[in-house]
Amino acid sequence: MQENSLRIRVAAAIAATPEQVWRVLIDVPRYRRWHPTLELLDGPPAGHLAPGAVLRWRANQGTPTEREFDVTVTEVTEPLTLAWEGGDPGIFFGHHSFTVVPEGDGTRLVDEEVFSGAMAQTLLAEHRTALEAEYHAGAAALKAVVEQQNPQRTI
């Protein structure tokens, strides 16, 4: 990790196959149906997510921390990794990745973001607890929606 960087990492055990998790994870136009904080405002239609695609997100709609931001997809490796990044590399930059790992009879989802830049430490020192809560809530929501769609599995 670079100097002035900060990592947020959460994981969830999901009672579903990696392919079942992947189908929900890459359907970014439908995140708002299940994700507690993210809504896609602009991006490719379902099924057309690829490196180089630009996604415009809104986070925390209707709250004091509401924000809109653009990211560029950097990796789509079915059914293992979805990653994007965005921001100003010198000031505040995020590299976000979802990793889908087969684990026993289910899947382990790792949701991770590394923030870097001159302002990363300062800005995130104030907001780290709230961001970690958002990431935990997102992983829990993904787990719930995938398991609801695939109720026959248990871990």
Side-chain angles (χ1 to χ4, degrees):
M1 225 175 356
Q2 300 175 356
E3 184 178 335
N4 295 325
S5 66
L6 177 73
R7 178 183 312 258
I8 294 177
R9 184 177 194 271
V10 300
I14 302 175
T17 67
E19 292 77 16
Q20 291 165 327
V21 173
W22 183 255
R23 277 194 296 273
V24 174
L25 187 62
I26 63 163
D27 191 0
V28 294
R30 294 188 181 185
Y31 270 37
R32 188 65 190 141
R33 293 184 181 177
W34 59 268
H35 198 286
T37 60
L38 282 180
E39 175 184 12
L40 185 69
L41 299 176
D42 191 31
H48 293 89
L49 195 60
V54 176
L55 307 175
R56 180 151 191 82
W57 293 105
R58 176 177 21 232
N60 301 315
Q61 183 176 9
T63 72
T65 59
E66 180 175 335
R67 61 199 179 278
E68 292 183 10
F69 55 96
D70 295 332
V71 298
T72 301
V73 176
T74 58
E75 184 176 357
V76 181
T77 304
E78 184 178 349
L80 304 173
T81 306
L82 172 60
W84 58 66
E85 60 187 21
D88 182 328
I91 298 172
F92 188 77
F93 191 77
H95 179 81
H96 193 128
S97 64
F98 294 97
T99 306
V100 177
V101 181
E103 184 175 82
D105 289 337
T107 299
R108 180 167 199 73
L109 172 76
V110 177
D111 183 358
E112 180 173 45
E113 187 148 12
V114 176
F115 298 97
S116 61
M119 297 299 295
Q121 291 287 340
T122 303
L123 290 172
L124 293 172
E126 181 178 335
H127 300 287
R128 183 180 184 106
T129 301
L131 279 170
E132 286 177 341
E134 287 178 22
Y135 283 71
H136 281 288
L142 179 63
K143 173 183 172 64
V145 75
V146 171
E147 290 179 353
Q148 182 179 22
Q149 292 176 0
N150 304 287
Q152 72 282 2
R153 299 183 62 89
T154 59
I155 292 182

